Amino acid sequence: MLQKLDKYMKPLIRPFVYKWAITQEFTIKQQLDCGVRYCDLRIAHRPNDPSTDLYFYHGVYTTLTVETILMEIKEWLDAHPKEVVILSFSHFLGLNQELHIWLLTTIRNIFTSKLCPKMEELTLRNLWALGYQVIVSYEHNISSSHSDLWPHIPYWWANKCKAEALIEEFEERKQHGRPGGFFVTGINLTEDLKYICTHPTESLKDLVMSTYPALLTWVREQTPGSRVGSLNIIAGDFITERHFAPTIVTLNEKLLKWPS
């Protein structure tokens, strides 16, 4: 509804949309410095744009292009040769087959030998030995015919605007076991129209900050690994706040305490 109103009442609606669309405030290099190793990249091509420029989209388009951001990630990886990132490309708003090919060419031209092909024995030790630093997940059927594109990584999204409801949803899912391989638990709170209209002076960041104490308390109770009920990748909004990344990294210490 807000997006439709934006077409006719842009000066009034756009600031409103903007404050609920922004999910991160730091640059990509700052996020990587803070400990981020998984990026949810939602790709879009602007309507009526004759160029091949692609942008990120979450209610509004970014001003920086996808190519610019990927170059910044590559430069950061050059300076940190033992770090590995997972880039999850999805949504592809307005992309045709030609733009998909252009995007794949861009990814390969930027990351070259850093791209990790689909492989069974995926350990940091192997990645370091082979010089791989980038795992590309591509949510499109085109990924099945390319050895350097990993399939879509399942994303647990609760679609809740309250921390308690989100936690309850994930605890229910954990009872049925975790997916095999990579999967994401997104502790992203999702505002609905009712919430936005009843909190007109707030923003998505206000919502996230008010619930992070409860969410991160729940995160601290989780365990990584392959066991039933274990989590894998944890994603969230405004991850540079409230010790988000250190809290998740600390979970790995639990693996060292388990008997082999």
Side-chain angles (χ1 to χ4, degrees):
M1 182 182 294
L2 289 173
Q3 289 173 341
K4 289 180 179 179
L5 288 173
D6 184 53
K7 294 181 179 179
Y8 307 103
M9 305 168 61
K10 194 176 293 289
L12 177 63
I13 299 298
R14 178 50 59 95
F16 204 58
V17 172
Y18 190 82
K19 67 180 185 176
W20 289 100
I22 301 302
T23 59
Q24 309 293 346
E25 292 179 322
F26 282 33
T27 67
I28 189 64
K29 286 186 176 180
Q30 289 172 325
Q31 291 180 49
L32 291 167
D33 283 338
C34 285
V36 169
R37 296 297 179 268
Y38 166 87
C39 296
D40 179 12
L41 306 176
R42 305 180 184 192
I43 312 300
H45 184 254
R46 291 177 183 269
N48 305 315
D49 183 353
S51 75
T52 56
D53 289 341
L54 299 177
Y55 300 86
F56 303 104
Y57 181 83
H58 187 250
V60 294
Y61 296 93
T62 57
T63 54
L64 294 175
T65 65
V66 170
E67 185 174 14
T68 299
I69 295 300
L70 296 185
M71 281 297 300
E72 291 187 5
I73 294 174
K74 189 261 183 186
E75 292 169 0
W76 189 90
L77 290 171
D78 285 342
H80 302 81
K82 282 204 167 183
E83 296 297 339
V84 178
V85 297
I86 300 173
L87 306 181
S88 178
F89 293 81
S90 64
H91 289 63
F92 306 115
L93 183 66
L95 269 69
N96 56 26
Q97 192 72 7
E98 291 181 359
L99 286 172
H100 274 289
I101 297 301
W102 186 91
L103 176 56
L104 294 182
T105 301
T106 300
I107 292 170
R108 288 171 177 143
N109 287 343
I110 290 174
F111 294 117
T112 59
S113 62
K114 295 182 188 297
L115 283 178
C116 176
K118 286 175 275 197
M119 56 195 295
E120 292 184 11
E121 193 66 26
L122 189 67
T123 65
L124 279 175
R125 193 181 301 278
N126 281 350
L127 294 173
W128 291 337
L130 296 168
Y132 296 142
Q133 290 184 269
V134 182
I135 294 171
V136 170
S137 162
Y138 208 82
E139 191 182 359
H140 191 277
N141 55 22
I142 198 174
S143 66
S144 61
S145 57
H146 295 270
S147 63
D148 53 358
L149 297 182
W150 291 63
H152 169 60
I153 297 175
Y155 196 113
W156 282 3
W157 176 55
N159 194 22
K160 307 292 183 182
C161 61
K162 293 184 178 180
E164 296 77 11
L166 181 144
I167 291 170
E168 182 180 349
E169 170 76 16
F170 288 152
E171 285 299 322
E172 172 65 24
R173 293 196 186 196
K174 283 168 56 182
Q175 301 304 314
H176 304 287
R178 51 154 293 174
F182 291 125
F183 82 100
V184 181
T185 303
I187 59 172
N188 319 80
L189 292 165
T190 307
E191 73 286 355
D192 54 21
L193 187 60
K194 178 182 177 181
Y195 188 92
I196 292 175
C197 292
T198 54
H199 299 78
T201 62
E202 292 187 11
S203 65
L204 179 58
K205 185 175 183 181
D206 293 325
L207 171 61
V208 170
M209 290 299 99
S210 67
T211 54
Y212 254 165
L215 291 175
L216 291 183
T217 295
W218 178 78
V219 167
R220 291 185 190 97
E221 298 169 352
Q222 307 311 304
T223 54
S226 58
R227 301 182 180 188
V228 173
S230 294
L231 300 187
N232 188 208
I233 300 168
I234 300 177
D237 299 325
F238 303 102
I239 48 74
T240 52
E241 304 285 342
R242 303 295 178 96
H243 305 290
F244 180 95
T247 298
I248 293 168
V249 171
T250 301
L251 295 180
N252 290 317
E253 294 178 2
K254 296 182 181 181
L255 290 173
L256 302 177
K257 298 176 183 178
W258 289 349
S260 58

